[in-house]
Amino acid sequence: MQTVTGMAEALADLGVTDDTLSAEEKRRLDEDGFLPLIGLMSAERLAQLRERTDELLELEGAQAGHETPQGGGVRALADLLNKGEIFEQVMVEPKVLAAAHRVLGDFRVNSLNYRGSLPGQGHQGLHGDWNGAVEPGDFHILNSMWMLDDFTEDNGATRAVPGSHRSGKWPTDEMADPADPHPRQVYLTAPAGSVVIFNSHVWHGGTLNRTDKPRRGMTMSYCRRDEPQQLDQAAHIRKVVYDRLSPATRFLLDV
Ligand SMILES: O=C(O)CCC(=O)C(=O)O
């Protein structure tokens, strides 16, 4: 099989162009640090993702999520790119790839995980997915939340502080307790099947699930190509998965 040697070639093969994001979408991603894509998934894809993640939770039992632990209050799954062909489509969504390229430059897959906030749990302090504040523009990770349920203010929708990725500050620089509400926070609410792309340096976090059902979401994230991946994809990839991936997708995974 042919190989792909550079980012531009991989993105072109995967159908990403300068116009994949509209001017307004680029502006929102740059300024707010997040971009909701309402109803991005087809009903069929949403049903398949729900079915497969429910099945994996059942199959993996107490082991679920062990590859990349995600803290308490959730049911988690990790290494999803190795656990079903349906997940491979998630990794190559053109709008998310275009956003990753815009924010990170050359990038690779970081991880695909599942996070289901349990009833009565799920609240997190505001954080960036990094170890501290960065200079505006010096971004390392981009994430996307794939909503498998409606995300509402009641069931633990992710909250985010618009523009905080450009502040050069960390939540503790202006909050006594990052678990508190922030005066400028917004809830990233949207119907099931939507995807919210977010610059991982925007201050964000899950919120309390006040309902009696889990709030299910998957996080598909990308890191700058010179950063370590959350899950070392080359070390984990199964041969059957590797064999069916296109050269561009292998380049994305860096396998
Ligand atoms: O589940 C969510 O709403 C956000 C999760 C998150 O920010 C994290 O685990 O770092």
Side-chain angles (χ1 to χ4, degrees):
M1 205 188 264
Q2 257 185 315
T3 53
V4 161
T5 51
M7 196 82 238
E9 191 185 347
L11 291 175
D13 282 3
L14 294 165
V16 179
T17 70
D18 285 348
D19 299 328
T20 299
L21 292 176
S22 69
E24 175 59 10
E25 288 171 333
K26 290 174 187 166
R27 188 196 64 73
R28 291 184 74 177
L29 181 64
D30 293 352
E31 289 181 14
D32 295 341
F34 51 85
L35 172 64
L37 303 170
I38 304 300
L40 185 81
M41 294 175 234
S42 67
E44 189 191 2
R45 189 198 279 199
L46 173 61
Q48 288 170 336
L49 290 169
R50 283 174 168 167
E51 188 184 335
R52 182 62 183 147
T53 48
D54 284 351
E55 191 173 80
L56 286 168
L57 287 171
E58 183 75 26
L59 277 171
E60 296 190 17
Q63 283 297 307
H66 71 97
E67 300 93 334
T68 47
Q70 291 183 58
V74 295
R75 291 228 57 199
L77 290 166
D79 192 19
L80 288 178
L81 294 168
N82 265 312
K83 296 182 180 172
E85 210 165 342
I86 181 73
F87 299 118
E88 292 158 29
Q89 298 166 15
V90 170
M91 145 173 73
V92 294
E93 178 55 50
K95 279 192 186 278
V96 185
L97 296 180
H101 187 47
R102 184 168 183 84
V103 170
L104 305 173
D106 284 5
F107 67 94
R108 55 184 178 162
V109 165
N110 192 37
S111 58
L112 176 59
N113 299 325
Y114 165 99
R115 188 167 187 273
S117 304
L118 295 172
Q121 305 194 58
H123 188 76
Q124 295 178 308
L126 285 169
H127 62 278
D129 298 327
W130 197 243
N131 48 23
V134 293
E135 288 299 314
D138 181 25
F139 301 131
H140 301 257
I141 316 268
L142 176 120
N143 212 334
S144 56
M145 175 60 83
W146 289 60
M147 300 175 175
L148 303 184
D149 287 309
D150 294 346
F151 271 39
T152 69
E153 289 191 24
D154 267 351
N155 76 353
T158 316
R159 61 178 172 147
V161 180
S164 50
H165 61 304
R166 295 185 283 113
S167 66
K169 290 188 194 162
W170 194 243
T172 45
D173 293 335
E174 57 177 65
M175 299 173 78
D177 184 352
D180 286 346
H182 188 283
R184 288 187 294 108
Q185 75 180 33
V186 296
Y187 286 87
L188 304 178
T189 56
S194 303
V195 173
V196 177
I197 302 172
F198 59 100
N199 182 317
S200 292
H201 302 271
V202 86
W203 305 351
H204 67 276
T207 59
L208 180 65
N209 180 355
R210 295 188 176 85
T211 70
D212 58 3
K213 296 196 184 72
R215 185 234 63 187
R216 298 171 295 178
M218 297 190 317
T219 48
M220 177 74 238
S221 66
Y222 304 86
C223 57
R224 224 161 63 181
R225 216 162 165 88
D226 57 357
E227 294 295 348
Q229 295 162 309
Q230 185 182 35
L231 187 80
D232 181 341
Q233 303 290 339
H236 280 80
I237 192 142
R238 291 162 57 222
K239 184 169 183 312
V240 63
V241 177
Y242 180 89
D243 285 348
R244 68 176 173 235
L245 295 177
S246 70
T249 312
R250 290 179 190 163
F251 181 86
L252 271 193
L253 278 165
D254 208 5
V255 293

